[in-house]
Amino acid sequence: MVTGAARGIGAAVVGRLARDGWRVVAVDLGADLPGLAYSPAGREELIALARRWPGQVLDVFADVRDPRAVAEAVALAEQEFGGVDAAVAAAAVMAGGKPLWDTTNAEWDALFDVGVRGVFNLARTAVPAMLRRPEPRSGRFVALASAAAHRGLWHLAGYNAAKHAVVGLIRGLAHDLRGSGITATAVSPGSTRTAMLDATADLYGLADVEEFAQHQLVERLLDPDEVAAAVCWLCGEQSSAITGTVVHADGGFTA
């Protein structure tokens, strides 16, 4: 399962998993949210993604803030594909562009309800599904954090706080999964060429997202597929020694 699947890193994860032979339930809201100054992915983007992988990728419109909707998506994965072996929490939003004390309730709620509660809702439904798989298990839970989980960013304190919460959730979840055969990890991307980065540039009043590249040792923006490569590796059996930690796919942003 992949949430936030319609575009950006989430869509890249779906595509890479599908190319590797996975069957994927791709979840996205496909609607606007209060508190955001931009439009999230539309329904047509998720539909187009699923059409590229007929019979292999199922498009599901669900709100990660709604535990019942997420549970129904997990049930669909079990019904159609026989179980859940990996879950990727990629749904997140961007809000900010002002000092913390000027952040609105709607902006704060959007950051935490999608970016943190959404991870929680996926974990508390997908992990039990993984635990229902026969032993020996090799389940994987992967959440998208951010370089913002490890370094403060100007006028993005709410986003900083939400991404720090994701890392804390993953560390605690990994301990809860001790001995189960299921791992929990986070991936922290740097500045990646996505619609969310465009939204960040707008918050800062930047004319060009390329200005973000100067903060990374690779001296360029990352491609979503580069980050997806790290996520998908963590979804596989070869990542069995990695749990309770963060993979920094950030182009050296936090080096």
Side-chain angles (χ1 to χ4, degrees):
M1 286 192 62
V2 180
T3 65
R7 67 183 181 194
I9 294 171
V13 169
V14 172
R16 191 173 264 272
L17 287 173
R19 290 194 299 273
D20 289 344
W22 290 75
R23 294 175 295 177
V24 185
V25 173
V27 178
D28 211 294
L29 177 61
D32 288 341
L33 286 170
L36 304 185
Y38 67 99
S39 294
R43 286 181 169 245
E44 67 282 354
E45 294 175 80
L46 187 62
I47 292 170
L49 177 65
R51 283 177 176 168
R52 289 201 289 272
W53 307 96
Q56 195 174 349
V57 175
L58 297 180
D59 51 311
V60 175
F61 295 101
D63 189 343
V64 296
R65 299 171 300 172
D66 179 356
R68 181 176 298 179
V70 177
E72 289 174 353
V74 169
L76 179 66
E78 292 186 292
Q79 175 185 325
E80 296 295 325
F81 296 149
V84 176
D85 294 299
V88 178
V93 296
M94 173 57 67
K98 63 189 75 170
L100 177 64
W101 54 89
D102 288 332
T103 299
T104 67
N105 288 340
E107 290 167 338
W108 185 268
D109 290 346
L111 288 166
F112 275 82
D113 285 349
V114 177
V116 184
R117 186 177 294 277
V119 180
F120 166 58
N121 284 337
L122 182 62
R124 65 175 173 172
T125 52
V127 168
M130 291 185 216
L131 289 168
R132 288 192 285 271
R133 298 292 272 164
E135 296 189 46
R137 305 185 193 92
S138 58
R140 303 286 182 262
F141 188 90
V142 185
L144 268 293
S146 168
H150 314 282
R151 177 172 295 178
L153 299 176
W154 183 66
H155 282 183
L156 289 179
Y159 186 71
N160 281 140
K163 290 305 184 180
H164 273 73
V166 170
V167 172
L169 185 155
I170 285 297
R171 292 192 190 281
L173 176 60
H175 280 269
D176 289 344
L177 289 168
R178 179 174 181 163
S180 68
I182 301 169
T183 63
T185 52
V187 173
S188 285
S191 295
T192 306
R193 198 177 297 281
T194 63
M196 188 178 289
L197 191 65
D198 293 336
T200 308
D202 289 342
L203 292 177
Y204 283 144
L206 299 179
D208 191 345
V209 295
E210 297 299 329
E211 293 191 39
F212 291 115
Q214 65 183 302
H215 302 292
Q216 301 185 159
L217 298 184
V218 295
E219 296 187 338
R220 60 175 176 81
L221 298 180
L222 301 178
D223 184 85
D225 194 58
E226 293 180 278
V227 180
V231 174
C232 294
W233 179 76
L234 289 170
C235 288
E237 292 186 3
Q238 66 271 32
S239 67
S240 57
I242 313 297
T243 193
T245 191
V246 180
V247 173
H248 292 269
D250 64 4
F253 190 106
T254 57

